[in-house]
């Protein structure tokens, strides 16, 4: 653990990292880019109307992304053992740019191939940034750093979605010119983010601090093999098995707010004369909720850490349950599939309520994720790469499943699945958190008695 003498340097390094890494997520939120997640189904449906030879589906593409993402998460700690987290993040960012550029030349086989490849890139980015966040933090400031990181990460949802809002304004069909403009703008910003990431400095690995049960091998190949073994052993522990439920829940809700909810509003014809232009606004509202959660826990991190992470997760759980109920009452059951004139219990559906639910989705998700990041980077700091890889594995498997069933299940059943996993995930997270709070309390008692 860093001493008081080098705390200032550590905080400066942390801030530099948080500022730089946030630029990489040019499209927003989780996994790869929430802006493109939100647009995936909407853009591809319009594209198929213009080009009958193109048969690619947005939900299938997203499902492929998260399936490959889940598989590669087991190999990425070994990859990072070779390259280090800085180089790994850069490689992942370049792969993401390639994926977005494939929208300039729409071909079904290219879309699905690039989707599989971007799963690998996403695994690199998220495991790498998780390891860097752990290296830049200690148990006293991890809640603050996780909150600041999350707030900066989600700020970019405003800019990309504002672009989408003005591009889609007054459009019932997303024409080729509009599609190309959106993809080119996002790709250009992504390329600038790669240039910014080149400024990342090397951060010492704090997993080497303190006593370790097993000595980490020094050669590249043995380090890679050790990283793979470490991930498997950590995954089989009771605490990590319990945490897979909240991990999975973040994947289910991620797929919902990033790739299903926005298009569902855009497909609901009676919510507005031109509902598609509000797909971007939905993303902005989600971003408002995410940034609010990250900012609050960043500013109040030193205060909330005294009470633990479980009260925050419980509040997020209640927020999400209320949100799911409001969405169920406001949007028709077939909204995720195609344009519909149907209505739900609220007739006509309310646009302001759809936007409010977007804010609440982001607020609850940001609260969940900041506390998960805080736990992984604080409790599992000596195995940070493996812990974040397992988190992303469970999250991405759940997201892949959600994007698959989104193609077959109505909105009501999807919301029911979210409610069930929110309940199970909250219970298991609080159980693990209480265990580590008791351990920390006993350790402090033992130190005071010495």
């Amino acid at each position: 653990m860093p001493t008081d003498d080098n705390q200032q340097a550590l905080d400066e390094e942390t801030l530099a990292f948080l500022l730089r890494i946030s630029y990489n997520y040019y499209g927003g939120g989780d996994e790869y880019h929430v802006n493109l997640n939100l647009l995936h189904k909407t853009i591809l449906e319009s594209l198929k109307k213009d080009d009958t030879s193109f048969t690619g589906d947005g939900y299938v593409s997203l499902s492929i992304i998260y399936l490959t993402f889940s598989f590669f998460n087991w190999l990425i700690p070994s990859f990072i053992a070779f390259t280090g987290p800085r180089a790994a993040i850069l490689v992942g960012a370049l792969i993401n740019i390639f994926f977005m550029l494939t929208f300039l030349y729409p071909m079904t086989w290219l879309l699905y191939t690039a989707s599989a490849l971007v799963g690998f890139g996403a695994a690199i980015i998220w495991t790498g940034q998780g390891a860097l966040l752990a290296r830049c933090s200690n148990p006293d400031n991890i809640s603050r750093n996780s909150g600041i990181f999350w707030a900066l990460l989600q700020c970019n949802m405003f800019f990309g979605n504002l672009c989408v809002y003005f591009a889609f304004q007054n459009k019932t069909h997303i024409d080729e010119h509009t599609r190309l403009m959106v993809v080119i703008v996002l790709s250009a910003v992504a390329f600038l983010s790669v240039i910014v990431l080149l400024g990342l400095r090397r951060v010492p690995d704090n997993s080497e601090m303190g006593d370790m049960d097993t000595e980490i091998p020094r050669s590249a190949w043995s380090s890679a093999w050790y990283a793979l073994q470490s991930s498997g052993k950590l995954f089989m522990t009771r605490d990590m098995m319990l945490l897979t439920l909240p991990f999975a829940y973040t994947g289910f809700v991620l797929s919902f707010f990033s790739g299903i909810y926005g298009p569902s509003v855009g497909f609901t014809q009676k919510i507005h004369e031109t509902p598609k232009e509000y797909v971007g606004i939905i993303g902005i509202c989600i971003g408002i909720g995410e940034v609010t959660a990250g900012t609050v826990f960043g500013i109040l991190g030193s205060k909330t850490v005294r009470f633990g992470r479980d009260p925050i997760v419980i509040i997020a759980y209640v927020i999400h349950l209320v949100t799911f109920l409001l969405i169920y009452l406001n949007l028709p059951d077939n909204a995720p599939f195609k344009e519909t004139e149907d209505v739900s219990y609220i007739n006509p559906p309310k646009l302001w309520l759809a936007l409010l639910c977007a804010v609440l989705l982001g607020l609850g998700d940001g609260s969940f994720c900041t506390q998960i990041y805080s736990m992984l980077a604080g409790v599992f700091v000596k195995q940070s790469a493996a812990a974040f890889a397992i988190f992303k594995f469970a999250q991405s498997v759940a997201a892949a499943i959600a994007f698959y069933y989104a193609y077959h299940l109505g909105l009501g059943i999807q919301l029911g699945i979210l409610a069930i996993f929110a309940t199970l995930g909250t219970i298991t997270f609080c159980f693990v958190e209480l265990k580590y709070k008791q351990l920390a309390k006993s350790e402090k008692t033992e130190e005071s008695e010495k």
Side-chain angles (χ1 to χ4, degrees):
M1 180 182 296
T3 63
D4 292 337
D5 294 333
N6 63 12
Q7 182 64 53
Q8 181 64 32
L10 176 66
D11 285 347
E12 291 174 357
E13 184 65 69
T14 300
L15 181 59
F17 161 66
L18 293 171
L19 289 170
R20 288 169 179 156
I21 196 65
S22 65
Y23 283 98
N24 185 50
Y25 296 90
Y26 38 82
D30 280 323
E31 268 50 271
Y32 67 114
H33 0 268
V34 166
N35 281 333
L36 206 54
N37 274 8
L38 285 166
L39 300 175
H40 219 94
K41 183 70 174 178
T42 308
I43 285 180
L44 293 181
E45 287 301 309
S46 294
L47 198 157
K48 284 191 283 189
K49 293 180 180 179
D50 293 340
D51 184 0
T52 56
S53 65
F54 181 79
T55 59
D57 185 85
Y59 292 151
V60 174
S61 170
L62 290 167
S63 182
I64 291 173
I65 289 172
Y66 287 107
L67 280 174
T68 55
F69 183 28
S70 63
F71 169 76
F72 281 115
N73 267 306
W74 290 105
L75 304 178
I76 294 308
S78 299
F79 181 85
I80 293 177
F82 277 107
T83 65
R86 293 181 303 164
I89 291 172
L90 287 169
V91 172
L94 291 172
I95 292 174
N96 278 320
I97 293 174
F98 168 74
F99 172 78
M100 287 195 294
L101 292 177
T102 62
F103 280 74
L104 299 177
Y105 304 96
M107 292 177 281
T108 303
W109 69 267
L110 182 59
L111 170 67
Y112 292 156
T113 301
S115 298
L117 186 61
V118 83
F120 172 66
I124 296 174
I125 287 178
W126 279 97
T127 303
Q129 63 86 13
L132 275 174
L133 182 62
R135 291 186 183 191
C136 291
S137 307
N138 62 55
D140 296 325
N141 62 24
I142 183 57
S143 293
R144 181 202 64 185
N145 292 348
S146 297
I148 294 173
F149 165 77
W150 196 258
L152 290 172
L153 169 69
Q154 302 298 338
C155 277
N156 49 65
M157 293 187 72
F158 301 135
F159 305 108
N161 284 298
L162 277 174
C163 171
V164 171
Y165 171 71
F166 289 112
F168 285 10
Q169 201 165 24
N170 299 321
K171 291 181 182 290
T172 58
H173 174 73
I174 312 305
D175 57 82
E176 181 180 6
H177 173 75
T178 304
R179 292 194 301 266
L180 294 180
M181 182 192 68
V182 170
V183 172
I184 290 172
V185 169
L186 291 178
S187 300
V189 175
F191 182 76
L192 291 176
S193 76
V194 172
I195 296 176
V196 173
L197 284 171
L198 292 173
L200 278 172
R201 293 182 293 167
R202 183 184 182 277
V203 183
D205 186 356
N206 56 2
S207 67
E208 297 173 359
M209 301 177 184
D211 297 330
M212 298 189 67
D213 296 332
T214 307
E215 182 180 356
I216 298 179
R218 297 299 179 183
S219 70
W221 282 105
S222 58
S223 294
W225 175 243
Y226 176 85
L228 182 60
Q229 287 182 313
S230 177
S231 298
K233 291 179 181 178
L234 181 60
F235 181 72
M236 296 305 296
T237 61
R238 187 187 70 164
D239 291 343
M240 192 56 70
M241 293 291 286
L242 289 172
L243 287 174
T244 55
L245 284 173
F247 295 168
Y249 172 66
T250 63
F252 284 119
V253 77
L254 162 69
S255 65
F256 182 76
F257 76 72
S258 69
I260 298 170
Y261 183 63
S264 295
V265 175
F267 289 150
T268 303
Q269 297 300 294
K270 290 190 176 181
I271 203 168
H272 193 267
E273 292 180 357
T274 53
K276 285 187 176 62
E277 70 181 60
Y278 284 91
V279 173
I281 299 299
I282 290 293
I284 293 173
C285 290
I286 293 171
I288 291 173
E290 298 275 11
V291 171
T292 300
T295 302
V296 168
F297 301 131
I299 296 174
L300 303 178
S302 60
K303 295 180 176 59
T304 58
V305 71
R306 292 182 298 178
F307 303 102
R309 291 169 274 254
D310 44 323
I312 298 171
V313 168
I314 292 172
I315 293 172
Y317 166 69
V318 174
I319 290 173
H320 269 182
L321 283 190
V322 173
T323 305
F324 299 153
L325 176 61
L326 293 176
I327 293 172
Y328 176 72
L329 297 175
N330 194 42
L331 298 182
D333 192 62
N334 61 348
F337 306 127
K338 58 183 179 180
E339 294 178 355
T340 178
E341 296 286 340
D342 293 350
V343 295
S344 186
Y345 291 92
I346 298 177
N347 186 14
K350 307 299 182 185
L351 180 60
W352 67 265
L353 184 57
L355 298 177
L356 173 62
C357 288
V359 174
L360 295 177
L361 282 172
L363 183 63
D365 179 69
S367 302
F368 264 105
C369 289
T370 54
Q371 301 316 298
I372 288 175
Y373 267 66
S374 175
M375 174 176 282
L376 294 182
V379 174
F380 301 98
V381 62
K382 293 182 179 180
Q383 297 172 292
S384 58
F388 278 97
I390 293 169
F391 166 43
K392 287 301 170 182
F393 166 75
Q395 186 185 61
S396 56
V397 168
I401 294 171
F403 279 120
Y404 176 77
Y405 69 57
Y407 195 70
H408 303 281
L409 302 180
L411 185 62
I413 297 178
Q414 294 188 43
L415 292 170
I417 293 172
L418 289 175
I420 291 171
F421 274 89
T423 303
L424 296 175
T426 300
I427 292 172
T428 54
F429 183 94
C430 292
F431 181 84
V432 176
E433 170 66 7
L434 288 173
K435 171 189 172 181
Y436 283 103
K437 281 203 297 188
Q438 291 173 354
L439 286 175
K441 186 181 296 185
S442 63
E443 288 175 358
K444 288 183 179 180
T445 301
E446 290 177 359
E447 290 178 359
S448 62
E449 291 176 352
K450 289 181 181 180

